[in-house]
Amino acid sequence: MFLLDYIKDNLVYLDGGMGTLLQKSGLNPGELPERWNISHPQQIIDIHSLYFDAGANIVNTNTFGANCLKFSDEELEDIIRAAVENAKKAKEESRAPQEKFIALDIGPLGKMLKPYGDFDFDEAVNCYAKTVKIGVKYGVDLIFIETMNDSLDTKAAVLASKENSDLPIFVSNAYGEDGKLMTGATPAAMVAMLEGLGVDAIGANCSLGPKQLKGVVDEYLEYASVPVLLKPNAGLPKSVDGQTVYNVLPQEFSQTMCEYARDGIRILGGCCGTNPDYISLTVEKTKDIAPKSITNKNKTLVSSYTHAVEFKELPILIGERINPTGKKLFKEALRNRDIDYILNEGIKQQEKGVHILDVNVGLPEIDEKEMLQKVCFELQSIIDLPLQIDTTDISALEAALRRYNGKAMINSVNGKEENMKAIFPLVKKYGGLVVCLTLDENGIPETAEERVEIAKKIINTAKCYGIDKKDLVFDTLAMTVSADNNSAIATLKALNTIKNELHCHTSLGVSNVSFGLPNRDILNGAFFTLALENGLSAAIMNPNSNEMMKSYYSFKALKGLDENCSDFIENIEKYAQSQTVVTANVPVSENTADAESELQRAIVKGLKEKAANLTASLLENVNPLEIVNSQIIPALDIVGKGFENKTMYLPQLLMSAEAASSAFEKIKLKMKENPVETVSKGKFVIATVKGDIHDIGKNIVKLIMENYGFEVYDLGKDVPPEKIVEEAIRQNTKLVGLSALMTTTVPSMAETIKLLRENAPGVKVIVGGAVLTQEYADSIGADFYAKDAMETVRYSLKTVGEFSEGNG
């Protein structure tokens, strides 16, 4: 039976953990488990067989870390071929009666993609593609992408799978205790992106036990229109007599999974710490539960790398200022490749409260494809708002959509057959919420009825491409009333019909209505209010417009969309007091005090070039160390506290650190000209332990620690315990940081700590990684367990302070 047909009417069961079972079978610390497909095939076959016999429908091949970064092309093919053969043998040997399928298991590459790391998106796609092609060649039934903790890395794996196979694709992400991915994405954001990409099943695995994932599960079930899967850990790990054990036993695990099945989870399995007993009990307890129907939730969503924006009752504001039309300074910025000017336009609109940023960089004299990619990339580096990609250049649109981190809005398609044939295949491949203009080969119709007919035509054509009308937003085209005093009436009537009879969302470029008239802002505000009352879902507008913002906050209050009128009270005063429309960038003041304030802001916002330029200006009058202590470190503290308080996320932390680094470079150059003694906070040796090639966490810690004044000695990844000890002794450091992502490599961490205690007893050891907990860290003898980079900084600053006091 075809897997996707089977899922329609049945609960589907996955296998459980592999790494912990291999450790029990003799896998040594630091040994790569994928090589056991060749060296110990029978052990792998036996584990697969136990899972099939426990009732699993889907068994994952032992290929979680099988990629071209870890193995040569030749060895990679040998490993995957053997892994698929082992799974097939287990399937053949199992006497269990259920339907059985073999999934190609794909885990993360362990590399942070640009702009937060140095690995390019297309490099990641190509790397995943090699694994996919081999798995398909040897006959897997589906592709299972799991334990992904970054949305862009997830997208790279999905595109590699889509472009190199026609197999079903399941995707499972790893969420932290805050219910978000490492780089900040919520479950709703991942639903938006992955459903847009056409993934067949989505959900969560690893990191936490089943009960701790309740919030994540609920959000998936609220938003997802495809089957939802769940593969929790067996609770939290700890080390007992050198073995990793978990604190949730099969009975408790299976009971919680039973409750989730009743709630609507359709695909159930286990991750770290689970074994065939967990799966067999889960199957037994859920076998009589009727699967909950998979329904279309009809959620209209766009997303960034952190969150989704849903189109519903609350009007959505789309900032229009990143567009050269009628903007002389913006055109000059595009010609001069002044990216900081463009970024500042985005930041200002975000601060004004828009929900989405429109991005249009179309000028005849520039390379629009290259510039659109660049601007979208840079905006997503420092701003967490979803983007509306606004272009008529099809190749530029595809290039931007391919690398967009999330589910973008697309501006636009129209009723022309040629246009729909060009746009809809891109929407089907990459996902997106499409703005649909109600015009066709005959131009813009005069009547509302004709515009509605074009909308129906677009809906039907989109359906032929497999695009649901929830991913279409209709623009009924605001025309200037100075040319036709009935044009606004037709626009509003068409808008009302599409919203209330076709049940589709709507959008307008509101300010077009006042073109050619004086005091345009007043007319725009009035038209905005009329449009909102007729069902306008989103407005492309100028958030610097006082009249537009007054209309927005007033409408929310009057329509019951602003509880206790709190938004109105908080915001309306600043718009009521001024009759002007602010449209231009405010130039940076030349005086030192303003420059200092701007430097902190540039670092907090992650503006690298601006931070460097402001630092260079300040250095003409201010001592370098004063800039560091009074500007750079306080700015980093602002971001660090925001990160710790969950008001800022990892990408913002990293981009702020990069901006601070650019400022430091200017300071270093100045200090070379006028040497003065600098004081290091201390030495810090860091490494990813033997057998583990995942260095994302390590690299993040390195960057942040350097910005706080530590001398960091980075030994890289897959580092033997002896090398770490030797470097700690050579540098006479008081601090060592150890990182591990995989359950199978934590014993290497324990071995390293043991050697450090024997040979460098004064060293404080900080450990971190997705598989670790405080209890686990305590059990292997670590001094401190850091959940994130900022905890490492805080502990290190405290520790070097204590050492200094002791030496004093």
Side-chain angles (χ1 to χ4, degrees), residues 316-320 354 356-358 388 409 507 538-541:
I316 301 298
L317 302 182
I318 303 172
E320 69 177 15
V354 303
I356 299 168
L357 293 176
D358 183 75
Q388 175 171 276
M409 277 191 84
S507 173
I540 303 174
M541 47 81 73

Side-chain angles (χ1 to χ4, degrees), residues 49-56 94 96 98 275-277 279-281 283-284:
S49 296
L50 287 171
Y51 280 123
F52 275 133
D53 292 344
S94 173
Q98 76 276 10
N275 59 41
D277 291 340
I279 304 306
S280 63
L281 271 175
V283 173
E284 178 63 28

Side-chain angles (χ1 to χ4, degrees), residues 386-461:
L387 304 182
Q388 175 171 276
I389 301 172
D390 185 353
T391 180
T392 57
D393 184 321
I394 302 301
S395 64
L397 176 61
E398 176 163 22
L401 283 174
R402 183 174 182 82
R403 287 173 169 261
Y404 180 78
N405 192 354
K407 178 184 178 183
M409 277 191 84
I410 299 168
N411 191 4
S412 57
V413 74
N414 59 55
K416 297 177 182 178
E417 291 291 344
E418 183 180 1
N419 186 260
M420 289 188 286
K421 286 179 181 178
I423 299 294
F424 283 144
L426 298 182
V427 180
K428 182 62 178 173
K429 180 174 182 178
Y430 298 108
L433 176 61
V434 194
V435 177
C436 306
L437 308 182
T438 52
L439 62 85
D440 60 14
E441 289 83 357
N442 298 315
I444 301 173
E446 289 188 9
T447 69
E449 290 75 15
E450 290 172 297
R451 296 183 198 186
V452 171
E453 286 305 310
I454 292 174
K456 291 177 180 178
K457 173 185 174 183
I458 292 172
I459 291 170
N460 291 331
T461 305

